[in-house]
Coordinates of all heavy atoms in Angstrom, one line a residue:
L725 N -12.9 6.4 22.2 CA -13.4 7.5 21.4 C -12.9 7.4 19.9 O -13.6 7.5 19.0 CB -13.0 8.8 22.0 CG -13.5 10.0 21.2 CD1 -15.0 10.2 21.4 CD2 -12.8 11.3 21.6
R728 N -14.5 4.2 18.2 CA -15.9 4.2 18.1 C -16.5 5.4 17.3 O -17.5 5.3 16.6 CB -16.6 4.2 19.5 CG -17.0 2.8 20.0 CD -17.8 2.8 21.2 NE -17.7 4.0 22.1 CZ -18.6 4.9 22.2 NH1 -19.7 4.8 21.6 NH2 -18.4 5.9 23.0
K729 N -15.8 6.5 17.4 CA -16.3 7.8 16.8 C -15.4 8.4 15.8 O -15.9 8.7 14.7 CB -16.6 8.8 17.9 CG -17.6 8.4 19.0 CD -19.0 8.5 18.4 CE -20.0 8.2 19.5 NZ -21.4 8.1 19.0
E852 N -10.8 17.3 23.9 CA -12.0 16.6 24.2 C -12.5 17.0 25.6 O -11.6 17.3 26.5 CB -11.8 15.1 24.2 CG -12.2 14.4 23.0 CD -13.7 14.5 22.7 OE1 -14.5 14.6 23.6 OE2 -14.1 14.5 21.5
K853 N -13.8 17.1 25.9 CA -14.2 17.3 27.3 C -13.9 16.1 28.1 O -13.7 15.0 27.5 CB -15.7 17.7 27.3 CG -16.6 16.5 26.8 CD -18.0 16.6 27.3 CE -18.2 15.9 28.6 NZ -18.5 14.5 28.6
P854 N -13.9 16.1 29.4 CA -14.2 17.3 30.2 C -12.9 18.2 30.4 O -11.8 17.6 30.5 CB -14.5 16.7 31.6 CG -13.8 15.4 31.6 CD -13.7 14.9 30.2
I881 N -13.9 20.7 21.9 CA -15.0 20.0 21.3 C -16.2 19.8 22.3 O -16.0 19.5 23.5 CB -14.6 18.5 20.9 CG1 -13.8 18.6 19.6 CG2 -15.8 17.6 20.8 CD1 -14.3 17.6 18.6
D882 N -17.4 20.1 21.9 CA -18.6 19.6 22.6 C -19.4 19.0 21.5 O -19.9 19.7 20.6 CB -19.4 20.8 23.2 CG -20.6 20.3 23.9 OD1 -21.2 19.3 23.4 OD2 -20.9 20.8 25.0
H883 N -19.4 17.7 21.4 CA -19.9 17.0 20.2 C -21.4 17.3 20.0 O -21.9 17.1 18.9 CB -19.6 15.5 20.2 CG -20.5 14.6 21.1 ND1 -20.2 14.5 22.4 CD2 -21.6 13.9 20.8 CE1 -21.1 13.7 23.0 NE2 -22.0 13.3 22.0
Y884 N -22.1 17.8 21.1 CA -23.5 18.1 20.9 C -23.7 19.2 19.8 O -24.7 19.3 19.2 CB -24.2 18.5 22.2 CG -24.9 17.2 22.8 CD1 -24.1 16.1 23.1 CD2 -26.2 17.2 23.0 CE1 -24.7 15.0 23.5 CE2 -26.8 16.0 23.4 CZ -26.0 14.9 23.7 OH -26.6 13.8 24.2
K887 N -24.3 18.0 16.3 CA -25.6 17.3 16.0 C -26.4 18.1 15.0 O -26.6 19.3 15.2 CB -26.3 16.9 17.2 CG -25.6 15.9 18.0 CD -26.4 15.3 19.2 CE -25.6 14.5 20.1 NZ -25.6 13.1 19.9
V919 N -31.8 15.4 28.2 CA -30.9 14.4 27.5 C -30.9 13.1 28.3 O -30.3 13.0 29.4 CB -29.4 14.9 27.4 CG1 -28.6 13.9 26.7 CG2 -29.4 16.2 26.6
A920 N -31.8 12.2 27.9 CA -32.0 11.0 28.6 C -31.2 9.9 27.9 O -31.2 9.8 26.7 CB -33.5 10.7 28.7
E921 N -30.6 9.0 28.7 CA -29.9 7.9 28.2 C -30.4 6.6 28.8 O -30.7 6.6 30.0 CB -28.4 8.0 28.4 CG -27.8 9.2 27.8 CD -26.3 9.2 28.0 OE1 -25.8 9.7 29.0 OE2 -25.6 8.7 27.1
V923 N -28.5 3.9 28.6 CA -27.3 3.1 29.0 C -26.9 3.5 30.5 O -27.3 4.5 31.0 CB -26.1 3.5 28.1 CG1 -26.3 3.0 26.7 CG2 -25.8 5.0 28.2
G924 N -26.2 2.5 31.1 CA -25.6 2.8 32.4 C -24.2 3.2 32.3 O -23.8 3.7 31.2
T925 N -23.4 2.9 33.3 CA -22.0 3.3 33.3 C -21.0 2.1 33.5 O -20.0 2.2 34.2 CB -21.7 4.3 34.4 OG1 -22.2 3.8 35.6 CG2 -22.4 5.6 34.1
R928 N -17.1 2.3 33.7 CA -16.6 3.7 33.6 C -16.5 4.3 35.0 O -16.4 5.5 35.2 CB -17.7 4.6 32.9 CG -17.7 4.3 31.4 CD -18.7 5.3 30.8 NE -18.2 6.6 30.5 CZ -18.9 7.7 30.2 NH1 -20.2 7.6 30.1 NH2 -18.3 8.8 29.9
Y931 N -13.8 7.1 35.9 CA -14.2 8.4 35.4 C -15.4 8.9 36.1 O -15.4 10.0 36.6 CB -14.3 8.4 33.9 CG -15.1 9.6 33.3 CD1 -14.5 10.8 33.3 CD2 -16.4 9.5 32.8 CE1 -15.1 12.0 32.8 CE2 -17.1 10.6 32.4 CZ -16.4 11.8 32.4 OH -17.1 12.9 31.9
Y932 N -16.4 8.1 36.1 CA -17.8 8.7 36.4 C -17.9 9.1 37.9 O -18.6 10.0 38.2 CB -18.9 7.7 36.0 CG -20.2 8.4 35.8 CD1 -20.5 9.0 34.6 CD2 -21.1 8.5 36.8 CE1 -21.6 9.7 34.4 CE2 -22.3 9.2 36.6 CZ -22.5 9.8 35.4 OH -23.7 10.5 35.2
A935 N -16.9 12.5 38.1 CA -17.6 13.4 37.2 C -19.1 13.6 37.6 O -19.4 14.6 38.3 CB -17.5 12.9 35.8
G936 N -19.9 12.6 37.4 CA -21.3 12.7 37.7 C -22.0 13.5 36.6 O -21.4 14.1 35.7
A937 N -23.3 13.4 36.6 CA -24.1 14.0 35.5 C -23.9 15.5 35.3 O -24.0 16.0 34.2 CB -25.6 13.6 35.8
R939 N -21.2 17.4 35.9 CA -20.0 17.7 35.2 C -19.9 17.1 33.8 O -19.4 17.6 32.8 CB -18.8 17.3 35.9 CG -18.5 18.0 37.2 CD -17.2 17.5 37.9 NE -16.8 18.3 39.0 CZ -17.0 17.9 40.3 NH1 -17.6 16.8 40.5 NH2 -16.5 18.6 41.3
D940 N -20.4 15.8 33.7 CA -20.3 15.1 32.5 C -21.2 15.6 31.4 O -20.9 15.6 30.2 CB -20.7 13.6 32.8 CG -20.5 12.7 31.6 OD1 -19.4 12.8 31.0 OD2 -21.3 11.8 31.3
M941 N -22.4 16.1 31.7 CA -23.4 16.4 30.7 C -23.9 17.9 30.8 O -24.1 18.5 29.8 CB -24.6 15.5 30.9 CG -24.4 14.0 30.7 SD -23.9 13.6 29.0 CE -25.4 13.7 28.1
N944 N -21.4 21.1 30.0 CA -21.1 21.2 28.6 C -22.3 21.1 27.7 O -22.9 22.1 27.2 CB -20.0 20.2 28.2 CG -20.2 18.9 28.9 OD1 -21.1 18.1 28.6 ND2 -19.4 18.7 30.0
H945 N -22.8 19.9 27.4 CA -23.8 19.6 26.4 C -25.1 20.4 26.7 O -25.7 21.1 25.9 CB -24.2 18.2 26.3 CG -23.0 17.3 26.1 ND1 -22.0 17.6 25.3 CD2 -22.8 16.0 26.5 CE1 -21.1 16.6 25.3 NE2 -21.5 15.6 26.0
T1047 N -31.0 15.4 32.9 CA -30.2 14.4 32.2 C -30.0 13.2 33.1 O -29.9 13.4 34.4 CB -28.9 14.9 31.7 OG1 -28.2 13.9 30.9 CG2 -27.9 15.4 32.8
G1048 N -29.9 12.0 32.6 CA -29.7 10.9 33.5 C -29.4 9.6 32.7 O -29.6 9.5 31.5
K1049 N -28.7 8.7 33.4 CA -28.4 7.4 32.9 C -29.5 6.4 33.3 O -30.2 6.6 34.3 CB -27.1 6.9 33.4 CG -25.9 7.8 33.2 CD -25.3 7.6 31.9 CE -24.1 8.5 31.7 NZ -23.8 8.8 30.4
R1054 N -33.4 6.3 25.2 CA -32.4 7.3 24.8 C -33.2 8.4 24.1 O -33.9 8.1 23.0 CB -31.4 6.7 23.8 CG -30.4 7.7 23.3 CD -29.3 7.0 22.5 NE -28.3 7.9 22.2 CZ -28.0 8.3 20.9 NH1 -28.7 7.9 19.9 NH2 -27.0 9.1 20.7
R1055 N -33.2 9.6 24.6 CA -34.1 10.6 24.0 C -33.5 12.0 24.4 O -33.4 12.3 25.6 CB -35.5 10.5 24.5 CG -36.5 11.4 23.9 CD -37.9 11.0 24.4 NE -38.0 11.2 25.8 CZ -38.8 12.1 26.4 NH1 -39.5 12.9 25.7 NH2 -38.8 12.2 27.7
S1056 N -33.2 12.8 23.4 CA -32.7 14.1 23.7 C -33.6 15.1 23.0 O -33.9 14.9 21.8 CB -31.3 14.4 23.2 OG -30.4 13.5 23.8
L1082 N -33.4 15.8 19.2 CA -32.0 15.7 18.7 C -31.7 14.2 18.4 O -31.0 13.9 17.5 CB -31.1 16.1 19.9 CG -30.7 17.5 20.0 CD1 -31.8 18.5 20.0 CD2 -29.8 17.7 21.2
Q1083 N -32.3 13.3 19.2 CA -32.1 11.9 19.0 C -33.1 11.1 19.8 O -33.5 11.6 20.9 CB -30.7 11.5 19.4 CG -30.3 11.8 20.8 CD -28.8 11.9 21.0 OE1 -28.0 12.1 20.1 NE2 -28.3 11.6 22.2
E1123 N -22.9 11.8 11.5 CA -22.6 11.8 13.0 C -22.0 13.1 13.4 O -21.3 13.8 12.6 CB -21.6 10.7 13.3 CG -22.2 9.4 13.5 CD -22.5 9.0 14.9 OE1 -21.9 9.7 15.8 OE2 -23.3 8.1 15.2
A1124 N -22.3 13.6 14.6 CA -21.7 14.8 15.1 C -20.2 14.9 14.9 O -19.7 16.0 14.4 CB -22.1 15.0 16.5
Y1125 N -19.5 13.8 15.1 CA -18.1 13.9 15.0 C -17.6 14.1 13.6 O -16.5 14.7 13.4 CB -17.4 12.6 15.6 CG -17.2 12.8 17.1 CD1 -18.1 12.2 18.0 CD2 -16.1 13.5 17.6 CE1 -17.9 12.3 19.4 CE2 -16.0 13.7 19.0 CZ -16.8 13.1 19.9 OH -16.6 13.2 21.2
Ligands
BG6_1621 C1 -20.5 12.1 26.6 C2 -20.6 11.7 28.0 O1 -20.0 13.4 26.5 O2 -21.8 12.2 26.0 C3 -21.3 10.3 28.1 O3 -19.3 11.6 28.6 C4 -22.6 10.3 27.4 O4 -21.5 10.0 29.5 C5 -22.4 10.9 25.9 O5 -23.1 9.0 27.3 C6 -23.8 11.0 25.2 O6 -23.6 11.4 23.9 P1 -24.7 11.0 22.8 O7 -24.2 11.7 21.5 O8 -24.7 9.5 22.7 O9 -25.9 11.6 23.3

Side-chain angles (χ1 to χ4, degrees):
L725 180 72
R728 265 189 333 111
K729 298 285 187 188
E852 262 296 334
K853 65 156 268 273
I881 283 228
D882 183 319
H883 78 276
Y884 267 60
K887 290 189 191 264
V919 178
E921 297 184 275
V923 293
T925 54
R928 289 184 84 193
Y931 162 71
Y932 204 85
R939 291 183 172 101
D940 186 45
M941 300 293 286
N944 34 78
H945 307 325
T1047 183
K1049 306 278 185 203
R1054 176 172 192 248
R1055 185 172 62 114
S1056 299
L1082 273 55
Q1083 55 200 26
E1123 276 263 343
Y1125 273 101

